[in-house]
Amino acid sequence: MALDKNGIAKRIAQELRDGYYVNLGIGIPTLVANYIPEGMDVTLQSENGLLGIGPFPEKDKVDADLINAGKQTVTYLPGAAFFDSAASFAMIRGGHIDLTVLGAFEISEQGDIASWKVPGKLVKGMGGAMDLVAAAKNIIVALMHTDKEGNSKLLKKCTLPLTGVKCVKRIVTDLAVIDITPAGFKLIERAPGVSVEQIVSATEAHLIVEGDIPEMKI
Amino acid sequence: MALDKNGIAKRIAQELRDGYYVNLGIGIPTLVANYIPEGMDVTLQSENGLLGIGPFPEKDKVDADLINAGKQTVTYLPGAAFFDSAASFAMIRGGHIDLTVLGAFEISEQGDIASWKVPGKLVKGMGGAMDLVAAAKNIIVALMHTDKEGNSKLLKKCTLPLTGVKCVKRIVTDLAVIDITPAGFKLIERAPGVSVEQIVSATEAHLIVEGDIPEMKI
Amino acid sequence: MVLTLGKMNKVVKDAMEALRGIQDGMTVMFGGFGLCGIPENCISALVELGIKDLTCISNNAGVDEFGLGLLLRKHQMRKMIASYVGENKEFERQLLSGELQVELIPQGTLAERIRNGGAGIPAFFVPAGYGTEVQGNKEVREFNGKMHVLETGMTADFAIVKAKYGDTRGNLIYNYTANNFNGPMATAGKITIAEVEELVPYGELDPNHIHTPGVFVQRIFQGTNYEKRIEFTTTRN
Amino acid sequence: MVLTLGKMNKVVKDAMEALRGIQDGMTVMFGGFGLCGIPENCISALVELGIKDLTCISNNAGVDEFGLGLLLRKHQMRKMIASYVGENKEFERQLLSGELQVELIPQGTLAERIRNGGAGIPAFFVPAGYGTEVQGNKEVREFNGKMHVLETGMTADFAIVKAKYGDTRGNLIYNYTANNFNGPMATAGKITIAEVEELVPYGELDPNHIHTPGVFVQRIFQGTNYEKRIEFTTTRN
């Protein structure tokens, strides 16, 4: 059965490693924070200037001066640090963040990502996404494998304006975990109960399938 | 009579304006701090990361963590701020310092300055001088008009390796105050008792002398 | 309050006095991220002054009834330079009608362009935007096997920032994530105005904790009636 | 002391453990300005380890019997990159004899190259050095009517910094002018080592006052026996 958003987040959480500094984008990526494995020490960075995001505040502890990049009120954990936006992106651009998780509209088999603009629709802006994808050492994209009409979001070439080129390393969708290799998309894991055939047919681009493809352990 | 080093510093102090942020180089420029006019509020910047240099400390208040760019122990004044070297030169390069006073070996009539290297002698380095001369809005050079052999330091062209090109605005020597104009050196003031002829003969480059040249008021 | 005697005393009475000299058509930076850390008093004063045709540089464009949305509502903006402009219906309307121009810049590039504008660095290479619309006609170059785009430093006629604490010489300390674009923008204004929640005599702030040294600030005042609106209040349960 | 449990605990026992993996021929940044804010413990440990052929990046080269002068005396340096190298007779001797190479860089350019190395900016234009020997074969370009030189970002195999306070996650706070090159260098090491006068459990430092966020620091330890020598003691009278 295809994963729901929380399932995707759970699977991505398995990519975390002890000691990682991680930037989580808005949407499904934010949910990853709920599934950080017990005992694992992961520090979340918010590009508006916080290293060490804590959970949402108690009702009476809400502080307008303490928000995340999604403009939601948050808390900070012991050992946190605050800094300005230039310092924050110096940190990102300089490769000091171990992992960036973000959403997307489309991914190409080259690792290109389109996530910020749909021609004809109102453009809100790229925010920090272009900086993050251009600079993070390791980028995982969380997205649904197809849109509501069943059109694949994993394409030979993106049709929408790009956010970054040749940068995505791994994709986790409702159907599969897929790596971007020099030869293109490569199937790594299937969602529980989802067949290789289902995944291949939901993927517009060629999908490399080698040997037995294990099911995700969620 | 030609000025001594303190006289030069006193004359330069007359260039200060209320509210100025000033960087004083090592040597004669440092002495300028002793002659800041009473009631005038001038903030001294030290490029190693201090805005608001105070006087030398009392003997029992010496702190190894609190030095100026000359590596001398100093104090800081109320309202001071500390910052790192990159931030310090961002401040300098960005034109936020109103006045830089520094020494030199030679000055050309174009406003070029040579102050850091004498071929054949051991080179210690340019420190922050190249950054300061390239970026300060207003640069005054303090130097003796001639060397010990009587050779002029105010030249058509510098003979020594340059610290910066076309940057010096005004020179205060033991003999005169001289501006650098598009047409070259222009005599502004004479040291007390020093004649225009003495100054002209101590200046290798052409010196523009227009009208009566007043004596400095020290 | 002990004030500095001379010109180092940068204290002005209020936002109106702080904005002296601002004119139609100027370029103005506004600190803040979303509604966090925005200079509320100066925005209100600009609405009152009715200054028009502004080019506004700010990470976001506020919401309909608050922040830069207040300037939008009065049609005081000619151009908005930002990284993300959601959360604002009037913005949308003016953009579609052609009343308003918008230039979108990746957030990190925007922050660095402002930082470098203040730091006297006229141009620099970043990886962000390569191969995208943002690249446009900009020069590109490879460094360490990776393509980069040449971006330029950015300054403004006025930079308006908000801090938690400030002293009479313009030293500023920000609170939590309300630092954001305020820190870099404070360095990039030909005139920088700081409005603060608490203005203290100089000497009261710990010089090791200053975020923005006073040299960058030309005018400072203690703001009033801070609303500090929250865009999305999220709480535990 | 409450320590972080996992890999976020960056605490090592001492300088020897902190320097694990350092090898002959590596490039190493040393924080400090003159003798102010230098990582005394790590310099001593490097002497003890006898690591050779180092390329040292530091604003200055220490004095004969202290600071980087200790590495010079043991002939452990192949190249020194600095802005000012006075106050050191042995340095002079090795330079004249050809044992030691030296590369002099304007102080502000050096600081910015390091800052940008850590910030992922591979190249940028500065006015300093234009028309001087420093320009060399570098690209020059005019911006706003002024000539600039293209300089590059700079990183190192190890960056070794010294702070007054640090916590177990690597957050650092510097004291007075002992920040200097420590702040920028902390961001530019493939491995950054911080030695601190006082190591505290994480959560004890005010997150608004952190100068170097822990993300930049891989190893941290509380140093011992700080001498904090003063180059020129100047006092009132």
Side-chain angles (χ1 to χ4, degrees), chain B residues 17-21 39 41-43 50-52 76-83 86-87 89-98, chain C residues 4-10 115 117-121 167 169 171 187-189 202-203 205-208 210 213-217:
Chain B
R17 296 290 172 272
D18 199 25
Y20 263 21
Y21 291 92
D41 206 340
V42 167
T43 301
L50 165 54
L51 200 63
Y76 67 87
L77 294 176
F82 294 97
F83 34 85
F89 282 95
M91 202 176 278
I92 290 165
R93 199 187 303 106
H96 305 280
I97 300 300
D98 298 294
Chain C
T4 316
L5 288 173
K7 289 200 179 157
M8 280 296 167
N9 179 12
K10 298 170 177 178
R115 184 265 179 197
I121 294 181
D167 74 19
R169 291 183 170 228
N171 292 301
T187 71
Y202 72 91
L205 302 178
D206 185 328
N208 276 315
I210 307 289
V215 67
F216 295 112
V217 175

Side-chain angles (χ1 to χ4, degrees), chain B:
Chain B
M1 207 187 65
L3 301 175
D4 63 4
K5 288 180 179 189
N6 279 295
I8 295 175
K10 259 190 207 174
R11 177 58 191 83
I12 290 175
Q14 295 175 11
E15 305 286 316
L16 300 173
R17 296 290 172 272
D18 199 25
Y20 263 21
Y21 291 92
V22 180
N23 184 293
L24 299 176
I26 295 164
I28 301 176
T30 305
L31 300 173
V32 173
N34 300 330
Y35 302 105
I36 298 173
E38 193 78 31
M40 189 178 283
D41 206 340
V42 167
T43 301
L44 302 179
Q45 199 247 21
S46 192
E47 64 264 30
N48 58 320
L50 165 54
L51 200 63
I53 310 174
F56 293 140
E58 305 286 349
K59 234 178 190 156
D60 59 336
K61 294 275 170 55
V62 166
D63 187 334
D65 286 345
L66 187 41
I67 64 170
N68 65 17
K71 292 154 198 161
Q72 301 171 308
T73 48
V74 293
T75 56
Y76 67 87
L77 294 176
F82 294 97
F83 34 85
D84 69 47
S85 298
S88 184
F89 282 95
M91 202 176 278
I92 290 165
R93 199 187 303 106
H96 305 280
I97 300 300
D98 298 294
L99 175 65
T100 287
V101 183
L102 72 172
F105 302 144
E106 298 176 346
I107 301 292
S108 86
E109 61 186 8
Q110 309 278 320
D112 298 347
I113 173 171
S115 67
W116 74 285
K117 186 175 182 176
V118 178
K121 287 199 185 174
L122 189 83
V123 182
K124 293 192 168 187
M126 67 292 281
M130 284 193 184
D131 311 279
L132 281 157
V133 300
K137 285 184 258 184
N138 193 5
I139 298 165
I140 298 181
V141 171
L143 79 173
M144 304 310 272
H145 214 104
T146 57
D147 67 16
K148 282 165 192 161
E149 285 87 45
N151 300 309
S152 180
K153 297 181 174 184
L154 279 59
L155 308 173
K156 285 200 176 69
K157 246 177 115 68
C158 291
T159 65
L160 296 171
L162 296 182
T163 308
V165 295
K166 296 181 190 171
C167 52
V168 177
K169 303 279 190 295
R170 175 161 276 200
I171 307 166
V172 179
T173 76
D174 51 333
L175 302 183
V177 176
I178 290 170
D179 276 0
I180 283 116
T181 71
F185 291 127
K186 181 175 177 186
L187 185 58
I188 303 296
E189 290 176 17
R190 297 171 292 117
V194 172
S195 71
V196 169
E197 291 66 35
Q198 275 176 282
I199 299 165
V200 168
S201 89
T203 306
E204 188 237 48
H206 175 67
L207 186 64
I208 302 168
V209 182
E210 286 178 3
D212 265 2
I213 305 298
E215 254 189 20
M216 298 180 199
K217 291 186 187 68
I218 302 273

Side-chain angles (χ1 to χ4, degrees), chain D:
Chain D
M1 191 184 289
V2 180
L3 296 180
T4 317
L5 287 172
K7 288 196 179 158
M8 279 296 166
N9 179 12
K10 298 170 176 178
V11 179
V12 294
K13 201 175 71 221
D14 56 16
M16 277 298 180
E17 193 183 336
L19 288 166
R20 196 166 35 82
I22 200 162
Q23 286 168 22
D24 292 354
M26 277 188 167
T27 297
V28 183
M29 290 178 180
F30 296 88
F33 184 98
L35 302 179
C36 177
I38 59 171
E40 296 184 19
N41 283 225
C42 282
I43 292 170
S44 297
L46 276 171
V47 171
E48 203 175 320
L49 284 168
I51 302 293
K52 290 225 181 313
D53 294 326
L54 292 173
T55 293
C56 296
I57 303 171
S58 175
N59 189 56
N60 314 92
V63 296
D64 274 321
E65 300 296 320
F66 202 62
L68 294 188
L70 298 172
L71 290 176
L72 273 169
R73 206 175 51 178
K74 298 282 189 169
H75 305 272
Q76 294 178 258
M77 248 187 243
R78 186 174 53 82
K79 185 174 180 182
M80 178 82 221
I81 299 176
S83 86
Y84 190 82
V85 294
E87 280 81 70
N88 198 317
K89 289 258 178 300
E90 176 62 17
F91 186 94
E92 201 166 321
R93 202 198 56 69
Q94 290 187 23
L95 185 61
L96 294 173
S97 74
E99 284 172 75
L100 181 69
Q101 300 165 44
V102 65
E103 185 181 344
L104 294 169
I105 298 178
Q107 195 175 134
T109 297
L110 180 62
E112 189 67 13
R113 288 184 64 183
I114 294 164
R115 184 265 179 197
N116 280 343
I121 294 180
F124 57 99
F125 286 95
V126 291
Y130 173 75
T132 76
E133 287 182 9
V134 164
Q135 180 186 312
N137 295 321
K138 290 168 193 158
E139 181 178 336
V140 298
R141 200 180 293 194
E142 187 177 322
F143 295 94
N144 314 315
K146 191 167 170 174
M147 294 305 293
H148 290 73
V149 179
L150 187 68
E151 296 283 357
T152 56
M154 190 185 252
T155 58
D157 296 309
F158 279 81
I160 308 179
V161 304
K162 151 84 193 301
K164 176 88 173 180
Y165 304 102
D167 74 19
T168 51
R169 292 182 169 226
N171 292 302
L172 304 178
I173 295 179
Y174 307 100
N175 190 40
Y176 299 145
T177 56
N179 185 337
N180 55 60
F181 277 83
N182 285 297
M185 284 181 176
T187 71
K190 287 189 195 104
I191 293 175
T192 291
I193 298 170
E195 54 174 272
V196 299
E197 289 183 50
E198 235 176 279
L199 183 64
V200 302
Y202 73 90
E204 289 207 358
L205 302 179
D206 185 329
N208 275 317
H209 299 158
I210 307 290
H211 293 125
T212 295
V215 66
F216 295 113
V217 175
Q218 280 68 50
R219 304 171 188 174
I220 190 168
F221 67 95
Q222 181 162 315
T224 54
N225 300 316
Y226 282 107
E227 197 175 323
K228 298 181 75 165
R229 205 182 282 191
I230 292 172
E231 227 156 319
F232 305 110
T233 302
T234 44
T235 59
R236 238 168 281 186
N237 310 319

Side-chain angles (χ1 to χ4, degrees), chain A residues 91-171:
Chain A
M91 203 176 276
I92 290 166
R93 200 187 303 105
H96 304 279
I97 300 300
D98 297 295
L99 175 65
T100 286
V101 183
L102 73 170
F105 301 144
E106 299 175 345
I107 301 292
S108 85
E109 62 186 8
Q110 310 277 320
D112 297 347
I113 174 172
S115 67
W116 74 284
K117 185 174 181 176
V118 178
K121 287 198 187 174
L122 189 83
V123 182
K124 293 192 167 186
M126 66 294 279
M130 284 194 184
D131 312 278
L132 281 157
V133 301
K137 284 185 258 184
N138 192 5
I139 298 166
I140 298 180
V141 171
L143 80 172
M144 305 310 271
H145 214 104
T146 58
D147 67 17
K148 283 166 193 161
E149 286 87 45
N151 300 310
S152 180
K153 296 181 174 185
L154 279 61
L155 308 172
K156 286 199 175 72
K157 243 176 118 66
C158 292
T159 65
L160 297 172
L162 296 181
T163 309
V165 296
K166 296 182 190 171
C167 52
V168 178
K169 303 279 189 296
R170 175 163 276 200
I171 307 166

Side-chain angles (χ1 to χ4, degrees), chain A residues 93 131-137 165 167, chain C residues 126-128 130 141-149, chain D residues 120 122:
Chain A
R93 200 187 303 105
D131 312 278
L132 281 157
V133 301
K137 284 185 258 184
V165 296
C167 52
Chain C
V126 292
Y130 174 75
R141 199 181 292 194
E142 187 177 322
F143 295 95
N144 314 313
K146 192 168 170 173
M147 294 305 292
H148 291 73
V149 179

